[in-house]
Amino acid sequence: MHELSIASSLVEGVLAFVDRHRVSKVLAVRLAVGELTCVETEQLRFCYTAVTRETAIATATLEIDQVEALVRCSHCAYEGSPKYWDDALSGTAVPTLQCPECGRAAEPTQGHECLIKGIRYVP
Ligand SMILES: [Zn+2]
């Protein structure tokens, strides 16, 4: 499962931080999850809870920030939100890597990341 491996590596990162800085208690972990990662935040939350169980950060609050997708088109110099298509199954708009102006392939400039944005802790 996609979300489980992401949760594991994020938690590893937090635990490494805790180790390195000799943190006594982690209060909250804030994650940034890009729209283009196709990560289900509820799934991620579930996996995170499973992975952190019985670790030093089990009681920390998990905050997830959704990062909006942005693209840049090298064909027509468009910059901004990508083209979305409506997913009939889930009823949500899914971002594509397509330029809304000229319809050609665009490069993501934001929204493809999944990382630890911040850790709130008691030193
Ligand atoms: Zn374009």
Side-chain angles (χ1 to χ4, degrees):
M1 198 178 5
H2 193 46
E3 280 81 1
L4 185 57
S5 62
I6 291 171
S8 307
S9 66
L10 288 171
V11 168
E12 254 172 54
V14 178
L15 291 175
F17 176 90
V18 167
D19 240 28
R20 206 163 47 236
H21 297 268
R22 300 175 185 280
V23 170
S24 59
K25 187 176 168 62
V26 175
L27 302 173
V29 176
R30 179 175 288 262
L31 305 179
V33 177
E35 246 185 341
L36 295 168
T37 57
C38 298
V39 169
E40 272 278 356
T41 51
E42 280 318 302
Q43 275 278 7
L44 183 62
R45 191 175 285 280
F46 177 81
C47 294
Y48 175 92
T49 308
V51 173
T52 54
R53 195 170 293 149
E54 289 172 26
T55 68
I57 59 168
T59 56
T61 315
L62 178 65
E63 294 161 3
I64 300 178
D65 282 353
Q66 284 262 33
V67 181
E68 193 192 350
L70 288 177
V71 298
R72 183 192 300 131
C73 177
S74 59
H75 305 283
C76 70
Y78 169 87
E79 268 186 73
S81 302
K83 190 177 164 70
Y84 284 79
W85 58 279
D86 291 322
D87 188 336
L89 283 179
S90 64
T92 52
V94 180
T96 66
L97 286 181
Q98 205 182 349
C99 174
E101 292 291 323
C102 71
R104 282 189 274 187
E107 290 285 319
T109 57
Q110 181 186 295
H112 52 294
E113 62 275 78
C114 185
L115 43 87
I116 300 163
K117 208 171 161 191
I119 299 172
R120 216 159 55 235
Y121 60 94
V122 180

